[in-house]
Amino acid sequence: MDATLSGTQAARSLATAHKPTGRVSDPIFVGLLWGCGIFVLLLLGLIIAMLFEGGLPALREFGISFLWSTAWNPVTERFGAGVMVFGTLFSAIIAVIVALPLSFGIAFFLTEIAPGPFRRPVGVAIQLLAAVPSIIYGMWGFFIVVPLIATYVQPPLIEWLGPIPLIGALFQGPPLGAGMLTAGLILALMILPFITAMFVEVLESVPPMLKESAYGVGATTYEVYRNVSVPYGRTAMVGAIMLGLGRALGETMAVTFVIGNATRMSASLFAPGATIASTIANEFPEASIGSLKLQALLQLGFILFVISFIVLALSRLLVRSRLKG
Amino acid sequence: MASLARRRATDYAVKAISTGFAALSLVFLAWILWTLLSRGLPALGPHVFTKITAPPGAGGGLLNAIVGSLIQIGVALVIGTPIGLMCGTFLSENGRGTHVGNAVRFVNDVLLSAPSILIGLFVYQLLVVPFGGFSGWAGSIALAILVIPVVVRTTEDMLNLVPIGLREAAFALGAPQWKVVTFVTWRAARAGIVTGILLALARAAGETAPLLFTSLGNNGWSISLNAPMASLPIAIYQYAASPFEDWVALAWAGALIITVGVLTLNILSRLVLAKMK
């Protein structure tokens, strides 16, 4: 990969060839290092295994249709993951759609427009958005954003866009404030710093020569950004978007506060809904050990893990392949 | 191709919009902080730190929640830091270019972004169900699992910055690997490793979801790790969703405390990192 690697290997082989002091202590130390490495590997396996095993009875009871069944009735003990899987994907996709243009713009600002002294402070301030705990977004969303959306955003949208055929379905229902749209907007703000940070990292790795040649033939700053920098980092930038998506899928506390927690399916942006994570957080206290409901919740957890794992793994493959290349 | 004037106008417009987007995200940060200050500061008083949680109207504080959080975060760091440090060292020193190393790095990246509520469910299955109850231990271990990937990532990154010559010099003197790592590599990367631990601390301090099913929360005074234990995020969650005004005020005070703590830690660690690079 680079000089450091061969350096370490050379130093290590030298050390092993000599068998210097530490004939006893070294194997112990190296064993510890390997042990901790393997431990992290096993940890992930154990998490997957335990969530699967815990939810297995629910899967046996309801069969594979648990995955898409929209039933969720604790009284009759009929459970299905359909509504929550839909809500999880719907809210996360809204979040990515909103965060994406913002991230492109902010990354452009941070890499090309901002004057030198502004770059770091603005970059750090945007990163602080990622540090604010999830529950704080939840409270802010619940007490501040939800009333604002219910009063100023939803009524006009329902009135203007509601009657239009097809897209009108997105704008139906009473203006409750809490719902898919609000959850998606807050999630967008939460994943924005992650996507932006990776965009900036990728854009800064674009060889200056490429950009300078484009400037040399008379391209404007925006044209260079659009036609040189972004295409150069395309793969890794898709990876960054997947990372944002992965984060949005599993976000719990903020969503629980603002999504309305209704286990009904609706295509409307304004309808209250539920995500897998919010359902687990909400309904867990009412599920007793060994109950079918608890098993259904654990099975939901397993499904969320599988979805996040696929998205995060894809993200990582895309990002690493680019940065290595 | 469009005319020059038009291309210039597009360029100008995109620049203006991008600057606007950056300003917008700063406005949101300021808005969140302003909300916390305007609602949290009036609710903040000595009672928050001296009294334990009480029924609505009884003038309670958050002392047990603050202490519970500190204990669980402390235990999580004591458990998670050594494992994370050793694993990060493994990745940087022994695992480079090997299949095991790549696999560990991959898994660690997934754990870093995995939904934290699932870590809570996992620890519930692992510890709460078999040992018959919610406990401070379960909460601490759930937080430790969140601490590990942060420490692993920063440790590996920081150790990779240590010049290879330093290691070679130590090896040339006949030092065994454990001495080279502990006395040379770790020492050279000390500031960066500590930064990683601070970032992990900041992450653990704000997490609510993994504590819901592990340490559960406790409205009385308890510092036993074997019993359900209160924590600041859980107290905030419980109080913010309540209909009682004094509870909601306490939730804002708690939210202000957590956010100020977490943001301070983040800014501090970024300053250290900026100095190192």
Side-chain angles (χ1 to χ4, degrees):
Chain A
M1 199 196 295
D2 52 10
T4 340
L5 173 63
S6 52
T8 320
Q9 278 174 341
R12 199 165 63 225
S13 56
L14 252 179
T16 39
H18 267 278
K19 287 277 175 211
T21 55
R23 211 164 294 159
V24 185
S25 49
D26 234 18
I28 296 179
F29 184 75
V30 174
L32 259 176
L33 291 184
W34 275 84
C36 286
I38 304 290
F39 172 79
V40 170
L41 273 185
L42 292 180
L43 189 61
L44 183 79
L46 199 59
I47 292 174
I48 296 175
M50 294 218 71
L51 290 178
F52 182 70
E53 192 245 306
L56 203 54
L59 198 64
R60 284 220 187 90
E61 173 80 25
F62 302 114
I64 192 74
S65 68
F66 179 83
L67 286 178
W68 55 82
S69 158
T70 55
W72 189 269
N73 192 336
V75 183
T76 58
E77 297 226 300
R78 300 303 303 167
F79 300 108
V83 177
M84 294 82 186
V85 171
F86 169 77
T88 304
L89 297 176
F90 195 18
S91 58
I93 288 170
I94 298 174
V96 170
I97 290 175
V98 175
L100 204 54
L102 288 169
S103 299
F104 268 113
I106 297 171
F108 184 43
F109 175 80
L110 288 175
T111 50
E112 305 290 347
I113 311 174
F118 278 102
R119 249 169 233 199
R120 262 195 63 77
V122 175
V124 168
I126 289 168
Q127 285 317 302
L128 287 186
L129 277 174
V132 173
S134 175
I135 188 161
I136 307 298
Y137 278 101
M139 285 184 79
W140 175 71
F142 181 71
F143 287 101
I144 312 286
V145 181
V146 165
L148 282 180
I149 290 197
T151 323
Y152 297 107
V153 180
Q154 288 181 337
L157 286 180
I158 292 172
E159 200 179 319
W160 298 333
L161 301 174
I164 303 174
L166 285 179
I167 66 156
L170 286 171
F171 304 96
Q172 297 293 331
L176 299 170
M180 283 294 168
L181 178 71
T182 315
L185 290 178
I186 296 212
L187 283 174
L189 195 57
M190 297 178 77
I191 62 173
L192 172 82
F194 291 100
I195 302 182
T196 307
M198 288 176 81
F199 274 9
V200 169
E201 199 180 320
V202 173
L203 293 171
E204 279 176 347
S205 75
V206 177
M209 193 82 84
L210 285 182
K211 282 160 56 176
E212 279 159 21
S213 2
Y215 282 123
V217 294
T220 61
T221 320
Y222 166 64
E223 285 163 352
V224 172
Y225 180 65
R226 202 195 135 148
N227 301 321
V228 177
S229 302
V230 171
Y232 181 87
R234 201 169 36 206
T235 321
M237 289 172 101
V238 174
I241 298 164
M242 300 288 272
L243 177 81
L245 181 66
R247 291 250 166 196
L249 290 169
E251 195 50 65
T252 311
M253 300 319 290
V255 174
T256 307
F257 269 97
V258 299
I259 201 164
N261 302 307
T263 44
R264 268 176 282 121
M265 182 108 73
S266 169
S268 173
L269 284 169
F270 298 157
T275 67
I276 292 179
S278 76
T279 307
I280 297 174
N282 251 314
E283 309 229 349
F284 196 86
E286 295 142 30
S288 48
I289 293 183
S291 68
L292 191 57
K293 183 172 185 184
L294 182 69
Q295 287 149 0
L297 289 174
L298 286 164
Q299 187 59 36
L300 275 182
F302 177 71
I303 296 170
L304 175 60
F305 202 97
V306 171
I307 301 176
S308 322
F309 183 87
I310 294 170
V311 172
L312 292 172
L314 264 176
S315 150
R316 190 181 171 287
L317 290 176
L318 292 169
V319 172
R320 292 270 164 160
S321 70
R322 176 70 255 173
L323 288 182
K324 243 189 234 163
Chain B
M1 191 168 240
S3 75
L4 184 61
R6 201 160 148 208
R7 288 171 51 214
R8 276 208 179 126
T10 314
D11 185 53
Y12 186 78
V14 173
K15 277 181 177 165
I17 292 170
S18 297
T19 310
F21 282 172
L24 186 69
S25 60
L26 296 186
V27 166
F28 276 110
L29 179 67
W31 188 6
I32 293 171
L33 294 180
W34 168 249
T35 307
L36 284 169
L37 284 173
S38 65
R39 303 208 175 194
L41 268 187
L44 212 56
H47 66 281
V48 173
F49 303 98
T50 54
K51 291 188 173 157
I52 70 165
T53 49
L62 291 170
L63 178 65
N64 51 339
I66 294 171
V67 171
S69 263
L70 290 177
I71 294 175
Q72 290 175 72
I73 296 166
V75 175
L77 284 179
V78 168
I79 299 171
T81 308
I83 298 176
L85 181 63
M86 297 301 270
C87 182
T89 309
F90 164 75
L91 286 178
S92 167
E93 304 280 325
N94 301 56
R96 280 233 223 163
T98 66
H99 288 297
V100 179
N102 289 338
V104 172
R105 197 174 294 111
F106 174 78
V107 165
N108 191 67
D109 280 358
V110 171
L111 284 177
L112 195 64
S113 301
S116 61
I117 190 163
L118 297 183
I119 306 297
L121 272 190
F122 164 64
V123 174
Y124 174 83
Q125 282 286 85
L126 185 74
L127 295 175
V128 176
V129 175
F131 293 96
F134 301 102
S135 68
W137 277 118
S140 306
I141 287 170
L143 291 182
I145 297 177
L146 295 171
V147 163
I148 291 171
V150 183
V151 176
V152 171
R153 167 61 83 74
T154 36
T155 303
E156 192 200 355
D157 286 350
M158 291 303 132
L159 294 186
N160 285 347
L161 291 178
V162 176
I164 192 69
L166 275 181
R167 294 181 180 116
E168 284 170 346
F171 276 123
L173 292 174
Q177 199 195 351
W178 71 270
K179 267 194 179 166
V180 176
V181 169
T182 47
F183 288 99
V184 179
T185 326
W186 280 354
R187 214 169 263 199
R190 193 170 41 197
I193 294 173
V194 171
T195 309
I197 298 170
L198 287 182
L199 284 174
L201 169 64
R203 175 160 190 217
E207 281 289 356
T208 316
L211 297 177
L212 283 172
F213 332 124
T214 52
S215 61
L216 188 70
N218 190 333
N219 284 324
W221 174 258
S222 167
I223 52 169
S224 163
L225 283 166
N226 294 314
M229 189 178 257
S231 62
L232 205 41
I234 296 281
I236 294 173
Y237 179 47
Q238 187 189 346
Y239 280 16
S242 79
F244 313 109
E245 249 173 56
D246 58 334
W247 272 20
V248 174
L250 267 181
W252 282 112
L256 179 65
I257 298 170
I258 283 196
T259 311
V260 168
V262 167
L263 292 189
T264 312
L265 281 171
N266 263 280
I267 294 172
L268 273 181
S269 33
R270 272 169 214 288
L271 286 178
V272 176
L273 282 183
K275 236 180 216 171
M276 287 190 59
K277 281 180 183 169

